[in-house]
Amino acid sequence: MVGLTLPVLMLITDRYLAGGEDALVHAVAEAVAGGVNAVQLREKDLSPSELLALGVRLREVIADQAVFVVNGSLEVGLVGAGGVHLPEAAPMIERPQRPFIVGRSVHSLEAAERAWAECSDYLIAGPVYETASHPGMAPTGTRLIEEIAGVVALPVVGVGGITAGRTEEVMRAGASGVAVISAVLGTGSPRDAACELREVVDATWPGVEFMRL
């Protein structure tokens, strides 16, 4: 699958939290079965060859049930995924001659406007709440989601400390979905956790149509 289906429930990987690579692959399969429709491979300490090997395994269990993007690595994304996800400060890539999406992390309205101008396909904004994945970074609350969604005509996905109990607040702020790590991988049942998140995301999705202005 290439291209985000809205509303988005994205799982960002963390093999340490999952309990190792084998456990991660199993958890991703369970989460996709539970309603995750986007998976971001984010394992920054792996070499390109290791990342590619893990990406191939994840692609097999994801099949065509969810969009699969690789954080930061165009080399791996071109081989094993439907797109890449870029950090806020990374230069824009030259897209291949095939369907391929590019997402961008943003932490301010200015960064979101730059990402929109360079034709990013979606934005991940945050951290909305305090989170261990971005230690030392002050949470923005839902204010950043509201600001970006009110100006930029791109899907905005909230990230950072999001749980099933906080998802409605993020969606009501204008998000097109949420991205999570521990809310799925840190539970005893990734499938059940994904189901719970999916229910909230779907129930609070307004069905906004996005157009590039």
Side-chain angles (χ1 to χ4, degrees):
M1 178 186 296
V2 176
L4 291 179
T5 299
L6 304 182
V8 179
L9 175 55
M10 177 180 285
L11 175 61
I12 301 174
T13 70
D14 183 333
R15 70 189 192 283
Y16 295 112
L17 181 60
E21 288 195 11
D22 290 346
L24 174 63
V25 172
H26 177 73
V28 168
E30 289 292 299
V32 169
V36 162
N37 63 352
V39 176
Q40 180 189 148
L41 175 56
R42 182 182 183 270
E43 304 289 340
K44 293 182 176 292
D45 62 330
L46 292 181
S47 68
S49 61
E50 292 170 328
L51 194 65
L52 177 57
L54 179 55
V56 168
R57 294 185 66 189
L58 292 178
R59 185 181 60 183
E60 289 177 353
V61 299
I62 293 168
D64 60 352
Q65 302 174 82
V67 64
F68 179 42
V69 299
V70 178
N71 186 296
S73 176
L74 176 60
E75 176 185 1
V76 176
L78 286 172
V79 175
V84 296
H85 185 82
L86 302 175
E88 183 176 83
M92 189 57 170
I93 66 165
E94 182 176 346
R95 297 172 188 253
Q97 296 300 309
R98 65 175 175 86
F100 195 81
I101 65 171
V102 179
R104 171 84 66 177
S105 291
V106 295
H107 310 296
S108 69
L109 176 58
E110 294 75 18
E113 290 175 323
R114 289 195 303 270
W116 183 29
E118 66 187 12
C119 298
S120 297
D121 295 300
Y122 70 90
L123 307 177
I124 291 186
V128 180
Y129 306 101
E130 188 173 349
T131 173
S133 65
H134 288 81
M137 184 174 290
T140 66
T142 57
R143 170 191 53 79
L144 181 61
I145 301 292
E146 292 171 353
E147 290 179 350
I148 295 174
V151 174
V152 175
L154 288 175
V156 181
V157 178
V159 73
I162 294 175
T163 62
R166 290 169 166 172
T167 295
E168 180 175 355
E169 180 181 29
V170 177
M171 296 295 293
R172 297 292 184 196
S176 297
V178 296
V180 299
I181 303 176
S182 60
V184 168
L185 297 181
T187 69
S189 174
R191 183 193 291 255
D192 290 347
C195 281
E196 184 178 7
L197 286 159
R198 170 53 64 188
E199 287 179 2
V200 182
V201 167
D202 287 346
T204 51
W205 168 239
V208 176
E209 294 293 333
F210 288 91
M211 298 172 55
R212 187 169 297 284
L213 303 180

